[in-house]
Amino acid sequence: MVSAVSPRAHVIQVAAALAASMGIGRFVFTPILPLMHTQAGLSSSLGAALATANYVGYLVGALAGILIPGGVRSATVMRISLVVLVATLALMPTTHDGSAWFVLRLVAGIASALIFMIAVSTMLSRLRVDAQHLAGWAFGGVGAGIALSGVLVFILRSAGSWRSAWWAAAALAVVCAVAAWALAPEPSPTATPSGPAAHGRPRTGRWFTAVFVSYFLEGIGYIIAGTFLVAAIDQTAGGWVGSGAWIVVGLAALPSCAVWAWLGRRWSRPILLLVALLIQAVGIALPAVVAGVGPALISAFLFGATFLGVGSMTLGIGAHLQFPRAVALLTTGYSVGQILGPLVVAPFLHDGYHQALLVGAAIVLAAALAAAALRFRFPLHVGVMHAPPHSNIQHVETQPDRSVEWARCPVVPPAQQLRGEGVHPERRSSAGVFHPRSTLK
């Protein structure tokens, strides 16, 4: 049965679910980390271990979505996951035991992954053609959750403690969970044949290898900044700047998917992916080489404006290449990279976080170099795209029959545009790659 909820209301529900699962459940640890260092005696190595625990949990949840695809279409699973996520946030300040913290962050990661997958899958199946442009704003819920939780921690830096910060995050997650509670996935449709593109798939392995390596390295490099950026800024700028920078990250991330999708209608995704990775590398390195409030806030803006867009463009390229199980493979590589990120920089944390940021920036730069390989004889003529189903930075391929919704999602240019349908002949290229108007005669 089709939901009577309007598209805009549905997007708000999805955004609330993503704010709870990712913006708060996953990323609130970043602004709270400095408070736990100073007030709870948390060591840098244990902080890295807790970050890794959350990323391992996310990978477990993502793999569960692959192995048990019915789970990502269950409202009951999503609601249980929301309750579990809130509980893990509320229980963090009740103990000083590192092992207990590790388990709580591990479970939070699993719950975050399940909520994310269910929410996005539901959105892509419910939004119709005339409302697909709203999907990019639904992913902005991640940025909204980052910004709102950052504001709470910013206030509690002087008026509260690390315990009150976790409880405030749990309360904010409750509000988001209530807003998302009515989100109900549709029953899984009957499987359909994959179409003519399933036969005689083009040989795109070498380009897929390049994008896989790039996305794996991005997983390592981006999560280093996503975990330690606030702590690194606190070491030099101090005061309000660290928490303020995290709010900027959220505000920049909020519209980023919609903006990169708009740019993707005019320039090819390989070019935009390379540009986004270079911008992100600069943003991550900036506070490590230039002290002060200005560089810290610019760094936060550049990081927030790119990390969601890089994911959406990468998965879009994987879909275009029609490599089997592209989204599942890319997501798994990205998740493994996130697990490795804190471990890679753990030896550099004894003297602070600046060296860690430089290592992260270097790894993202390596990801950009791998992405640059896509520019060499990139296969523009791959045939009609039968794309994987989901469309954001960490998602798994669990519903192959949802290829149309994936193709129409604004974080990936619409299917009819990829094929050149419904586009003025002067604006069409045979490869579905759009060029600035000035280059077309």
Side-chain angles (χ1 to χ4, degrees):
M1 181 177 64
V2 178
S3 173
V5 177
S6 70
R8 292 184 184 277
H10 189 76
V11 165
I12 290 173
Q13 291 176 340
V14 173
L18 299 187
S21 64
M22 301 293 291
I24 303 169
R26 188 164 202 197
F27 287 117
V28 75
F29 180 68
T30 300
I32 294 180
L33 179 61
L35 296 180
M36 295 186 71
H37 281 323
T38 57
Q39 300 176 9
L42 181 71
S43 66
S44 297
S45 59
L46 181 55
L50 296 183
T52 299
N54 189 253
Y55 309 144
V56 170
Y58 195 94
L59 177 60
V60 171
L63 292 176
I66 296 176
L67 299 175
I68 314 174
V72 299
R73 304 196 66 81
S74 169
T76 300
V77 171
M78 189 193 73
R79 291 166 183 169
I80 291 174
S81 298
L82 285 169
V83 172
V84 169
L85 179 67
V86 170
T88 62
L89 296 172
L91 289 173
M92 281 294 290
T94 63
T95 180
H96 270 81
D97 182 65
S99 298
W101 283 340
F102 187 93
V103 172
L104 288 172
R105 294 308 292 159
L106 177 73
V107 174
I110 297 173
S112 293
L114 292 173
I115 296 167
F116 185 93
M117 289 187 292
I118 294 170
V120 173
S121 176
T122 303
M123 177 185 67
L124 296 181
S125 65
R126 289 287 180 83
L127 288 186
R128 306 310 174 191
V129 175
D130 59 349
Q132 289 295 325
H133 64 284
L134 297 174
W137 293 104
F139 291 118
V142 178
I146 290 174
L148 290 173
S149 59
V151 169
L152 284 179
V153 176
F154 178 80
I155 295 172
L156 292 171
R157 285 178 67 94
S158 56
S161 65
W162 70 276
R163 288 190 176 90
S164 58
W166 279 111
W167 283 323
L172 182 59
V174 168
V175 174
C176 294
V178 170
W181 196 259
L183 195 62
E186 292 178 338
S188 180
T190 303
T192 58
S194 57
H199 304 285
R201 292 182 183 274
R203 295 182 179 180
T204 57
R206 63 171 175 170
W207 293 280
F208 182 80
T209 299
V211 77
F212 179 87
V213 171
S214 175
Y215 204 40
F216 169 72
L217 293 172
E218 161 70 358
I220 299 175
Y222 120 87
I223 207 60
I224 292 171
T227 304
F228 302 120
L229 182 63
V230 172
I233 292 174
D234 270 353
Q235 286 185 332
T236 54
W240 59 270
V241 182
S243 295
W246 194 242
I247 297 172
V248 172
V249 169
L251 293 176
L254 200 157
S256 63
C257 274
V259 171
W260 285 108
W262 177 77
L263 293 173
R265 297 174 186 270
R266 300 185 64 86
W267 291 281
S268 69
R269 279 169 292 183
I271 291 175
L272 293 175
L273 177 61
L274 175 59
V275 170
L277 288 168
L278 292 174
I279 291 173
Q280 187 180 110
V282 171
I284 293 174
L286 192 58
V289 296
V290 183
V293 175
L297 298 181
I298 293 173
S299 167
F301 176 81
L302 296 179
F303 177 71
T306 54
F307 80 94
L308 288 177
V310 165
S312 65
M313 288 185 285
T314 299
L315 297 183
I317 291 170
H320 171 75
L321 293 174
Q322 298 184 35
F323 195 84
R325 303 289 289 173
V327 172
L329 291 171
L330 289 169
T331 300
T332 301
Y334 189 72
S335 298
V336 171
Q338 290 181 109
I339 294 170
L340 295 177
L343 300 178
V344 168
V345 297
F348 302 97
L349 299 179
H350 299 294
D351 298 320
Y353 295 99
H354 287 158
Q355 287 185 328
L357 290 186
L358 291 175
V359 171
I363 294 173
V364 172
L365 184 60
L369 293 176
L374 295 171
R375 296 292 300 145
F376 295 98
R377 302 181 66 183
F378 186 75
L380 300 177
H381 302 273
V382 186
V384 178
M385 188 178 76
H386 288 263
H390 304 312
S391 60
N392 198 34
I393 54 175
Q394 301 175 56
H395 211 50
V396 292
E397 185 178 354
T398 58
Q399 302 294 331
D401 49 295
R402 287 301 178 194
S403 59
V404 174
E405 282 80 1
W406 161 272
R408 288 174 180 164
C409 182
V411 259
V412 182
Q416 64 175 5
Q417 292 179 346
L418 288 172
R419 295 192 295 267
E421 299 172 5
V423 182
H424 191 281
E426 294 181 357
R427 298 286 295 135
R428 181 188 302 169
S429 75
S430 59
V433 177
F434 284 77
H435 305 277
R437 192 178 301 271
S438 60
T439 66
L440 298 172
K441 304 299 182 183

